[in-house]
Amino acid sequence: ATITERKASANQLPRPPIVTIMGHVDHGKTSLLDRIRQQYGLSSDVVSTEAGGITQVLRAWRVEKGGKSTTFLDTPGHEAFTKMRARGANVTDIAVIVVSASDGVMPQTEEAIAHARAADVDIIVAINKVDLPDANIDKTRRQLYQLNLLPDTMGGDVPFVECSAKTGKGIDELLDSVAVLAELAELTADPTQAGSGTCLEAYLEGDRGVIATLLVQNGTLSKGDVVLCGATFGRVRAMYDDLGRPIEEAGPSTPVKFIGLDEVPDADDPFYVVDNIATAREIAGKRRERRSETDRFKFQA
Ligand code: GDP
């Protein structure tokens, strides 16, 4: 369904924005994410990766400020972001471009901006490391203006936030800016529909089987549902939230970890809840056949 069609459906409700942090290496992406989670993560406890015996941490978290939720994705690099896009997985609503005020704009900063623009997502600029003695905020701002990122005070529509992942300065403002952009974008989804979304990552873990992180983008994913994910399928046997707690269902913009797929899907594979396991098996089987034919063709050529 197109966005217009989806908006027209009766049960559209606001959903949390999905945010990706991008920028030049060492400008503070990880530190900012950590800081945001520390201050506004759903639980003040350390993320319980032991729950359910799952050893790897989810690369997506929900945070909450002033009653508003946001889902942050930890995308492993700009290429992954664009590869996702190329495969039709439009998972991000807002890109936070992090720029160190002591280094200013660097090649990967420009690259990140280009990727965000190509994906047509809203941009927030986070000028980070403003606590450092050699921080040059004005110079950094000017460099960004030259790349056509303009704050509203200059007739643009890009929020600029000056922050420090080290001291915590500006973190509140950053989340407030996310909330404002999200509200303007009127992001909605229909939680009454069958769950669908994108696989963020998946791997095989010992005798537990395939563990997949899915981002539910529309509808609700429930325990017991049959999932078709790329060329793989299975029933949701167990499902965990971003704190490693077992959950029964997950609505729009919620990242979950789940066990039940028969094979490891590709990251970026879309997933859908389907009516029954026979249908899922049939479609997955056809996709596998097609895939192996393509591989054979590539091999011969
Ligand atoms: P990433 O590569 O973009 O994920 O950057 P990191 O989060 O790993 O940060 C790179 C380095 O910069 C680390 O040593 C951080 O401690 C440091 N750093 C990150 N943010 C800040 C900040 O706001 N102020 C200061 N002084 N250091 C920071």
Side-chain angles (χ1 to χ4, degrees):
T2 66
I3 287 169
T4 334
E5 277 162 359
R6 275 197 269 122
K7 276 202 171 152
S9 112
N11 299 307
Q12 290 294 323
L13 291 174
R15 65 165 175 85
I18 299 164
V19 180
T20 302
I21 301 190
M22 302 199 285
H24 196 79
V25 64
D26 280 347
H27 280 200
K29 294 180 295 291
T30 314
S31 309
L32 270 178
L33 258 179
D34 287 351
R35 187 86 200 190
I36 292 167
R37 281 177 75 196
Q38 260 171 39
Q39 282 183 233
Y40 294 107
L42 285 190
S43 162
S44 54
D45 300 341
V46 174
V47 177
S48 133
T49 51
E50 292 308 311
I54 294 176
T55 51
Q56 282 193 25
V57 187
L58 231 82
R59 304 187 64 111
W61 307 274
R62 290 168 302 160
V63 301
E64 207 168 278
K65 176 173 189 287
K68 288 188 176 133
S69 297
T70 301
T71 301
F72 280 89
L73 297 188
D74 186 5
T75 15
H78 305 157
E79 284 74 25
F81 183 82
T82 290
K83 185 172 148 254
M84 249 184 192
R85 278 264 314 151
R87 302 195 53 194
N90 235 335
V91 291
T92 304
D93 301 306
I94 297 170
V96 173
I97 308 284
V98 181
V99 195
S100 157
S102 85
D103 291 345
V105 168
M106 299 290 276
Q108 284 166 44
T109 317
E110 294 200 45
E111 196 184 291
I113 295 165
H115 283 273
R117 283 201 170 123
D120 199 24
V121 298
D122 285 327
I123 293 177
I124 294 175
V125 166
I127 300 180
N128 191 37
K129 305 200 187 187
V130 296
D131 61 286
L132 288 177
D134 67 346
N136 190 334
I137 298 172
D138 286 341
K139 184 177 163 205
T140 306
R141 277 184 172 270
R142 280 197 302 276
Q143 290 173 334
L144 290 158
Y145 300 160
Q146 269 162 11
L147 296 172
N148 277 324
L149 291 176
L150 297 176
D152 52 3
T153 48
M154 295 179 70
D157 54 6
V158 180
F160 275 59
V161 178
E162 293 167 13
C163 61
S164 165
K166 193 176 175 191
T167 67
K169 179 185 188 291
I171 301 295
D172 279 1
E173 205 191 319
L174 183 58
L175 281 179
D176 291 344
S177 298
V178 167
V180 169
L181 283 192
E183 215 161 293
L184 286 173
E186 294 182 24
L187 306 169
T188 62
D190 180 353
T192 67
Q193 287 182 16
S196 63
T198 303
C199 173
L200 297 177
E201 62 177 349
Y203 55 93
L204 200 59
E205 190 176 276
D207 44 2
R208 299 191 66 89
V210 177
I211 300 188
T213 301
L214 302 183
L215 179 67
V216 180
Q217 292 172 272
N218 195 39
T220 297
L221 180 66
S222 305
K223 209 169 150 183
D225 278 349
V226 174
V227 169
L228 174 68
C229 184
T232 71
F233 72 100
R235 200 177 283 282
V236 180
R237 292 208 308 264
M239 190 158 65
Y240 305 91
D241 71 5
D242 48 343
L243 299 171
R245 299 176 301 201
I247 50 170
E248 297 291 314
E249 54 176 34
S253 298
T254 312
V256 297
K257 221 160 225 209
F258 98 100
I259 303 176
L261 290 175
D262 69 326
E263 284 188 24
V264 181
D266 289 338
D268 314 340
D269 269 342
F271 80 86
Y272 305 90
V273 168
V274 293
D275 283 344
N276 60 70
I277 203 96
T279 310
R281 182 179 292 119
E282 192 188 327
I283 300 173
K286 277 187 186 148
R287 286 179 176 170
R288 275 174 211 173
E289 255 170 51
R290 209 180 310 140
R291 194 171 286 183
S292 59
E293 271 165 29
T294 315
D295 289 349
R296 205 159 45 232
F297 178 74
K298 267 193 227 148
F299 186 68
Q300 286 167 349

